[in-house]
Amino acid sequence: MYSFTVAVKPVSISYRVTPRLLLKRTVTHVIRLENLEKTFIVDGRAVPALRGIELSVPAGEVFGIIGRSGAGKSTLIRMLNLLERPDSGRIVIDGQDVTSLSETELRSMRQQVGMVFQHFNLLSSRTVAENVRLPLELTASGSRAEQHARVDELLELVGLSAHRDKYPSQLSGGQKQRVGIARALANRPKLLLCDEATSALDPQTTQSILDLIADINRKLQLTVVLITHEMGVIRRIADRVAVIDAGRIVEIGPVAEVFLHPKQPATQSMVAELSHADELEDSGLLASATGAVWRLTFVGATTHEPILFETAHRYGLSFSLLQGTVSRLKDLPYGQLVVEWQGEADKLAEAREGLMARNVVVEVLR
Amino acid sequence: MGLDWSVLDWGEIGLASWDTLRMMGWSLFFTILFGLPLGVLLFLTSRRQLLQHTWFNRVLSFVANVLRSVPFLILLVVMIPLTAWLVGTSLGVEGAIPPLVVGATPFFARLVENALREVDRGVIEAVQSLGASRWQIVWKVLLPEARPGLLAAVTVTAITLVSYTAMSGVIGGGGLGDLAIRYGYQRFQTEVMIVTVLILIVLVQLLQMLGDWLVARVSKK
Ligand SMILES: Nc1ncnc2c1ncn2[C@@H]1O[C@H](COP(=O)(O)OP(=O)(O)O)[C@@H](O)[C@H]1O
Ligand SMILES: [Mg+2]
């Protein structure tokens, strides 16, 4: 018999305590932002773009920033290589406060930070190989032969070896972005910034570019910061996410937590778009339900267990599925099911306890 | 009015054509030499660009506009003393070159500025994000990316210079314009006038075709 006083906390912590976070104290932060403020003056009027931004990104992480158009995402990511300067606050990249760097120091810092753009921003007068070689020319790194070898290596990495002598106008959007990625990686940066890198691409190409970025993150131990307005992008490759709304970070945490248990309205509405939560309302299934309706959320190994069947069997309940998603958050499998249960009230209470004991988060919708 | 084509002195026409080509070639060379950096500077110092400098840009812009608004004929006359001092004469091919350069440089610089404006801001930003210096941005991005526009600007300027050289004939500048005025106008030899005009038309057509061909060749968009 389970007692109510020892009820398991709703949010499972098993997926939050990754080895990386356990080492938190020794982890070096590639990025640390302290109290960043930025206001644009447009036609004499002040447009606040960023307000009190605080965040840290540890080495090797894929950090996502999500927000609606105009929320301040581009302004924020452009501060990380100082394409945009803050009005106040500190930007520490790799232990170095970059706002006080001299012109030359700033340039060498930028060579350590690659950036990928929504509209690719390739030089139309240069071939694929010449575009990728440009950063090497700028830093005069290596002999001509070494530069060529490095270009070949990068084109291989992004899968464009066959297109090396084409001009950008002869490439598809996905191929252009691969050139953009190869160019950003040429000088072996520690940090890769992606400003809506997939927003101009179709869903399939988006998937392949995200796979490439995730692959690079793993292979090269590169820290990645990406901004997007699509929750789907965050879900695919980010480890942690910050939600930005009207220039403020309103929510920040591991993707599983923010995605599965959004607290802020801004986050909830973005998650709802992806999880079809509003469709349930629209379908009328909730209103016409006669039994108890619960939303069950689970992550990790639980996803592979027959929890519905076992629960029904054990407590003598019957159920019907109103809505469900079983998918993954980066490498973490998760499920979110809306289930209507029929059965006796005390059995239902026991079933709920049982589910919670198995690290399933139970929200009672009806 | 009957035309008598036998009065034409083809040797002199050939020489005048050669003079026109020389005037155009040399003045085009110096116009590019001065106008290209000037155009780059006009662009870089304008609002939201790499070397934004409102005050400097305004002065430069003002001088360019003043020079552009002076009718070329007046520039020719006003510049006579300066030309004489610079090249030792205000007559002939040499005497025509300084006013041609002064007249065409601000015009060309503006065309250069416009061509540079066509370069995608995002591309400049991307190269900045790679740690490029301003100098590198000009040489490796702005000029190569604007190449089709710059070649078109050179073509337009060359053609403008041809018509300016014809005008410089008025003050004894030599070339086809000079020929047309001396024979066609002052001695009523309409035939000379017609032939020189025809040669000028062919020259302009050829320049335009050459320019278009070059622009198409370097355009990768
Ligand atoms: N260079 C600029 N000048 C003036 N206002 C700007 C500039 N860049 C951004 N803004 C303003 O700052 C706000 C945030 O913009 P941005 O960071 O581009 O948003 P997002 O990338 O999230 O769509 C917007 O209101 C935008 O109009
Ligand atoms: Mg943006």
Side-chain angles (χ1 to χ4, degrees), chain A residues 40-42 47-49 67-76 84 195-196 227 244, chain B residues 48:
Chain A
F40 290 106
I41 307 293
V42 184
V47 180
R68 303 251 176 238
S69 166
K73 306 181 295 295
S74 294
T75 309
L76 177 53
E84 202 80 70
D195 185 347
E196 303 264 9
I227 67 170
I244 182 167
Chain B
R48 310 225 307 127

Side-chain angles (χ1 to χ4, degrees), chain A residues 197-356:
Chain A
T198 57
S199 299
L201 305 175
D202 61 67
Q204 246 176 343
T205 315
T206 293
Q207 174 72 67
S208 75
I209 292 293
L210 291 179
D211 288 346
L212 176 64
I213 294 173
D215 194 40
I216 289 165
N217 163 252
R218 263 191 305 266
K219 264 196 213 154
L220 309 180
Q221 308 279 300
L222 196 71
T223 310
V224 178
V225 175
L226 59 93
I227 67 170
T228 178
H229 61 274
E230 295 168 295
M231 204 48 155
V233 170
I234 300 288
R235 200 189 74 181
R236 288 241 156 77
I237 66 167
D239 298 309
R240 282 195 313 142
V241 61
V243 182
I244 182 167
D245 188 38
R248 286 183 200 282
I249 292 181
V250 294
E251 204 159 339
I252 187 166
V255 172
E257 196 172 305
V258 173
F259 184 78
L260 296 175
H261 310 288
K263 291 175 190 68
Q264 297 296 321
T267 322
Q268 283 163 355
S269 72
M270 276 182 288
V271 171
E273 274 165 31
L274 201 71
S275 63
H276 315 288
D278 30 352
E279 283 173 23
L280 186 66
E281 297 277 322
D282 296 346
S283 68
L285 284 172
L286 200 57
S288 62
T290 53
V293 181
W294 300 346
R295 179 186 284 125
L296 309 180
T297 305
F298 42 88
V299 296
T302 317
T303 315
H304 303 291
E305 294 168 13
I307 49 166
L308 291 185
F309 173 77
E310 284 177 9
T311 305
H313 185 70
R314 186 153 164 196
Y315 303 102
L317 308 171
S318 67
F319 68 90
S320 53
L321 200 54
L322 301 187
Q323 192 189 42
T325 308
V326 178
S327 185
R328 41 180 65 236
L329 292 161
K330 197 169 187 181
D331 303 320
L332 180 76
Y334 78 96
Q336 202 157 46
L337 307 175
V338 179
V339 184
E340 181 180 353
W341 298 99
Q342 307 284 353
E344 290 169 22
D346 56 338
K347 289 292 176 196
L348 279 171
E350 278 177 35
R352 188 168 161 221
E353 289 295 312
L355 283 167
M356 284 161 73

Side-chain angles (χ1 to χ4, degrees), chain A residues 78 121 124-125 137-138 169, chain B residues 122 125 131 136 140 145 220:
Chain A
R78 288 157 49 85
N121 299 352
S124 60
S125 59
E137 287 172 29
L138 296 178
S169 60
Chain B
E125 199 157 83
Q136 285 175 325
K140 297 232 173 236
E145 285 289 288
K220 304 291 181 194

Side-chain angles (χ1 to χ4, degrees), chain A residues 78 81 83 107 110-111 113 115 117 121-126 134 137-138 167 169 183, chain B residues 120 122-123 125-134 136 140-141 144-145 147 220-221:
Chain A
R78 288 157 49 85
N81 58 5
L83 285 178
R107 284 177 43 210
R110 282 180 177 158
Q111 287 156 12
V113 180
M115 191 161 188
F117 302 84
N121 299 352
L122 304 176
L123 276 71
S124 60
S125 59
R126 284 178 169 241
L134 178 66
E137 287 172 29
L138 296 178
Y167 285 91
S169 60
R183 177 177 69 178
Chain B
D120 187 353
V123 174
E125 199 157 83
V127 179
Q128 261 181 308
S129 83
L130 295 169
S133 67
R134 292 179 179 125
Q136 285 175 325
K140 297 232 173 236
V141 185
E145 285 289 288
R147 208 157 41 189
K220 304 291 181 194
K221 275 233 155 98

Side-chain angles (χ1 to χ4, degrees), chain B residues 162-182:
Chain B
V162 169
S163 73
Y164 280 4
T165 60
M167 252 194 274
S168 70
V170 174
I171 59 155
L176 289 167
D178 193 35
L179 198 68
I181 285 176
R182 276 192 290 128

Side-chain angles (χ1 to χ4, degrees), chain B residues 24-89:
Chain B
M24 196 226 29
W26 280 111
S27 49
L28 185 62
F29 172 77
F30 284 110
T31 299
I32 295 173
L33 191 70
F34 299 131
L36 189 65
L38 215 58
V40 170
L41 218 54
L42 269 173
F43 171 74
L44 289 180
T45 56
S46 63
R47 225 168 71 81
R48 310 225 307 127
Q49 299 302 339
L50 292 175
L51 296 175
Q52 175 171 347
H53 197 302
T54 318
W55 177 86
F56 182 86
N57 186 266
R58 275 200 196 132
V59 172
L60 206 60
S61 198
F62 178 74
V63 172
N65 284 344
V66 167
L67 280 176
R68 281 207 306 160
S69 53
V70 176
F72 184 63
L73 214 52
I74 293 177
L75 191 68
L76 271 176
V77 176
V78 170
M79 275 193 60
I80 288 176
L82 181 64
T83 306
W85 177 77
L86 266 176
V87 294
T89 174

